[in-house]
Amino acid sequence: MNTWRNASLAVTAAAVLALTTACGQDKGTETPNGQAVGAVNPAAPAAGGYGSDYGSDSGTAAQAAAKPAGQLAVWDSKELGKVVTDSAGFTLYRFDKDTASPPKSNCEGQCAKTWPVVAAGGASAAPGIDPSLIGEVTRSDGSKQLTIGGWAMYRYAKDTKPGDAKGQGVGGTWFASAPDGKKAAGGAGGGGGGSEYGDGGEAEGGEQADLAGLSVRKDPKLGEIIVDKNGMTVYRFKKDSAWPMKSACTGECLKKWPVVAPVDKNDTEGIIKKGFVTFNRPDGIKQQSIDCWPIYTFAGDAKPGDTNGQGVGGTWYAVSPQGKLVGAPK
C-alpha cells in the first residue's frame, strides 16, 4: 500500500514540476504555493483541430452539441474586412437562406453537421459590436441559437484553427459575419465551390492568413517584436503575473486591450515555446500566453506595424520573441 502511495505522490510531484517548468519559472525551485494548476491548459489540440474542440473525433463536429461563442471578438481580415469570431478565434458565419426579420434558421440535419450552430447562451459583445445587435432565435428543436443583427450564427466544420475562413462563399450562400450581422466586406468572393453544405469541395479558396498565428516582425525602433496573424503588435501588461497566471486587465480595460485568442503552437514562427499555454480567464475568455504571460493587442493600433500601445501608462509594452517586455524600464 505504501509503495502505491509513494508512486502516486511521485507522479503528482512530477506533473507539478513539469507544469512549473513549462510555465518558465526561472527560479527553478518555485512551487505553485497552493494555487490551482488547473487554470492553464495546453494551447490548442495538435491534431484534432476543430473536431477536438467541438467534441468530434472525426473533425466534422457531426455529433457535437451547440457550443456557446463566449466573448465575441472582431478580426480585421486583410481580404474580408472586419469579421466576427468566437472566444477561441473561430470565424462565425451566416446563411443566405436564413432570414433576419424575423430571425429564422433554415440549416437543419446534415447542414447543421457541416455548419455547427452557435448556442445563444454566454455570448457577450466585443469592441466594434453593438450589444443591441446580439440576440437569439429559437430553432425547430427548441434550442436557442445566437443571432447578430437578426442573422443566425454558425461555425464551419472545415475551419481547423483560429483565423481560418474556409467557409467564405461556400455554395454562394455562406459568408463570414461582419460585426453588424451583414456579410463581411469580402462579399460573395472566397470559398466558392460545392453545395451550400460544403460537401462538394474543400473550399480551398477560403481565406488563410498570410502570417502565422504568432510571428516576429523587425520594428525599426523596437527591434524584434511579436505580431499576431494580422500583423498587429502584441503586448504584455506589467500588472499581470505569470505564476500564478493572472490578468489585471478586466472589464473596460479589455475594450482597449483585446486578448489574443488561443493559437496552435504549430502555427507560430520564431517565438519561444516555453509556457505557451491557454489562460482560462475568470471571465470565461480564453487567452493565449507566452512564457505564461497573458498577451493582448491594442485597439489604438489601426494597421499592421502600428505600435501605439508601446509604453502606455508605463505598464504596456511590446513583446520580444523570448516573451520579454520590449523597452520597459529596468
Side-chain angles (χ1 to χ4, degrees), residues 35-286:
Q35 297 294 328
V37 297
V40 291
N41 292 324
Y50 191 103
S52 297
D53 273 351
Y54 295 95
S56 170
D57 293 335
S58 68
T60 64
Q63 305 301 320
K67 182 181 176 70
Q71 173 70 60
L72 297 175
V74 177
W75 167 33
D76 196 0
S77 163
K78 293 179 181 178
E79 294 186 17
L80 303 180
K82 294 188 181 300
V83 172
V84 179
T85 73
D86 65 12
S87 61
F90 283 90
T91 301
L92 300 190
Y93 298 89
R94 43 158 287 173
F95 185 30
D96 276 1
K97 294 188 177 181
D98 289 348
T99 60
S101 184
K104 187 178 190 322
S105 170
N106 290 307
C107 180
E108 306 283 351
Q110 183 62 42
C111 174
K113 294 179 181 179
T114 303
W115 301 92
V117 168
V118 180
S124 54
I129 300 180
D130 183 349
S132 68
L133 296 177
I134 306 300
E136 63 181 39
V137 61
T138 302
R139 295 174 56 80
S140 60
D141 61 3
S143 63
K144 305 290 186 181
Q145 183 173 2
L146 176 69
T147 61
I148 299 179
W151 291 97
M153 292 291 114
Y154 307 82
R155 299 179 181 89
Y156 184 43
K158 292 181 181 179
D159 283 351
T160 58
K161 64 182 184 297
D164 279 355
K166 297 178 182 179
Q168 176 70 5
V170 167
T173 55
W174 289 94
F175 300 95
S177 174
D180 58 2
K182 296 179 181 179
K183 298 176 188 178
S195 74
E196 63 196 35
Y197 298 163
D199 56 4
E202 294 300 314
E204 294 298 337
E207 187 198 18
Q208 298 282 348
D210 294 331
L211 298 175
L214 290 170
S215 60
V216 178
R217 178 178 69 82
K218 185 66 177 280
D219 185 84
K221 294 182 179 180
L222 302 178
E224 290 190 334
I225 59 175
I226 296 176
V227 297
D228 70 5
K229 62 181 179 291
N230 298 314
M232 305 303 288
T233 302
V234 168
Y235 299 90
R236 267 182 46 192
F237 188 27
K238 289 185 71 175
K239 294 184 179 181
D240 288 351
S241 65
W243 190 267
M245 192 181 295
K246 183 178 179 181
S247 169
C249 181
T250 61
E252 288 297 312
C253 175
L254 292 177
K255 294 182 179 180
K256 292 184 178 180
W257 302 92
V259 306
V260 174
V263 177
D264 191 305
K265 184 178 289 189
N266 296 321
D267 187 25
T268 63
E269 293 180 2
I271 69 170
I272 189 173
K273 300 295 180 69
K274 181 179 68 173
F276 193 87
V277 294
T278 296
F279 175 34
N280 292 322
R281 297 169 54 92
D283 52 19
I285 303 172
K286 295 183 181 297

